Amino acid sequence: MAFVRWIRRNLVVMAGLLTLAYLLLPNVIVTAFSFNKPKGRFNYEWQDFSLDAWKNPCGVADMCGSLGLSLQIALWATIGATVLGTMIAFALVRYRFRARGAVNSLIFLPMAMPEVVMAASLLTLFLNMGAQLGFWTILIAHIMFCLSFVVTAVKARVMSMDPRLEQAAQDLYAGPVQTFLRVTLPIAAPGIAAGALLAFALSFDDFIITNFNAGSTVTFPMFVWGSAQRGTPVQINVIGTAMFLVAVVCVLVGMMAGKRKNKAA
């Protein structure tokens, strides 16, 4: 009976740990196979332990070029979507204007709409405009796709802000710019950072929208898809593992910074 009671008390924790383990299992497999030395073209069966892929992660032609392009597009898409999304979020929360309710509803459409529909719509728009498919069409498409996620994240943070803090700053003779930089922006920063990180991850990982609007440009997800048709280089697992580790480090640094800030407060 004691064991049954212990199971009941810790059932939620156990379910959470099992779910987390299930979510992390693909990352563990990718990491393990980044040290594999396959005998053929496909890296699907474990053969021998090797560090060759880690020593030469750019050993596959055009892979690092496509990776650099994806990082560049993700960076600029994150900047564009974060700036526009932050302004839209503040406008929707702080101001009253005509069609505000309609705009609030339309913001969620890109998140609810299937990616293939949005990709085909953007492709039709670019072709009707006579635009040359490539870097700029991918960038515009990614900004359009990531914008809704940034607005949602920042809007939730702005709605929880206490306007009396800004009023207090104005009572202390702070100008609009000072109030925004020293009061509003620091309070909204967690929501803005969350939206930016989400936009970067979505942009870097996107395949469907990119495939429709890329033309002859090849990003890293498109390179991985093309490689899977004729073989899967171990270096793909190396890049995936490195990106996962960078994400984990960013999360840990954020958690440590948050704890230090709370202790200082």
Side-chain angles (χ1 to χ4, degrees):
M1 292 298 293
F3 178 73
V4 174
R5 288 196 297 269
W6 183 87
I7 291 292
R8 289 178 178 177
R9 286 197 305 268
N10 298 277
L11 184 61
V12 175
V13 176
M14 293 172 61
L17 291 175
L18 289 174
T19 303
L20 183 62
Y22 176 75
L23 291 174
L24 293 177
L25 182 59
N27 296 297
V28 174
I29 294 176
V30 168
T31 302
F33 275 82
S34 67
F35 298 98
N36 188 28
K37 187 175 182 180
K39 296 180 180 179
R41 295 180 301 168
F42 295 94
N43 187 28
Y44 296 152
E45 295 181 3
W46 182 264
Q47 301 293 335
D48 297 310
F49 180 85
S50 175
L51 295 173
D52 294 343
W54 283 93
K55 293 178 181 178
N56 188 19
C58 294
V60 181
D62 298 329
M63 190 183 72
C64 284
S66 63
L67 175 63
L69 179 62
S70 287
L71 291 173
Q72 185 180 358
I73 291 174
L75 177 62
W76 287 111
T78 299
I79 294 174
T82 302
V83 172
L84 293 175
T86 301
M87 292 190 293
I88 293 173
F90 271 94
L92 290 174
V93 175
R94 295 293 180 85
Y95 299 96
R96 299 292 182 267
F97 52 89
R98 290 184 179 180
R100 179 171 173 267
V103 174
N104 263 316
S105 300
L106 290 173
I107 285 296
F108 292 97
L109 279 182
M111 293 189 293
M113 184 187 306
E115 281 193 50
V116 66
V117 176
M118 186 174 184
S121 301
L122 288 170
L123 176 61
T124 303
L125 175 64
F126 291 139
L127 293 179
N128 288 333
M129 293 175 59
Q132 181 68 35
L133 298 181
F135 176 87
W136 291 108
T137 55
I138 298 174
L139 179 59
I140 294 172
H142 282 202
I143 293 175
M144 294 288 292
F145 173 63
C146 297
L147 189 60
S148 297
F149 295 91
V150 176
V151 172
T152 302
V154 179
K155 183 182 173 184
R157 182 64 178 178
V158 175
M159 290 178 66
S160 66
M161 292 171 56
D162 189 352
R164 291 176 296 181
L165 297 175
E166 296 167 298
Q167 294 171 4
Q170 293 171 0
D171 290 340
L172 295 173
Y173 302 102
V177 176
Q178 278 185 313
T179 302
F180 178 78
L181 293 179
R182 297 191 177 186
V183 179
T184 308
L185 188 60
I187 298 176
I192 297 174
L197 291 174
L198 184 59
F200 184 88
L202 290 170
S203 175
F204 180 83
D205 187 56
D206 182 76
F207 172 77
I208 297 176
I209 294 177
T210 305
N211 190 39
F212 270 74
N213 299 280
S216 59
T217 305
V218 179
T219 61
F220 185 68
M222 295 177 64
F223 176 86
V224 173
W225 179 81
S227 298
Q229 311 303 311
R230 56 184 183 276
T232 50
V234 184
Q235 284 81 357
I236 291 177
N237 296 64
V238 173
I239 299 299
T241 302
M243 296 297 294
F244 174 71
L245 293 177
V246 169
V248 171
V249 170
C250 290
V251 171
L252 293 178
V253 170
M255 292 175 61
M256 293 175 61
K259 288 183 179 180
R260 288 183 179 180
K261 185 177 180 180
N262 292 333
K263 288 182 180 179

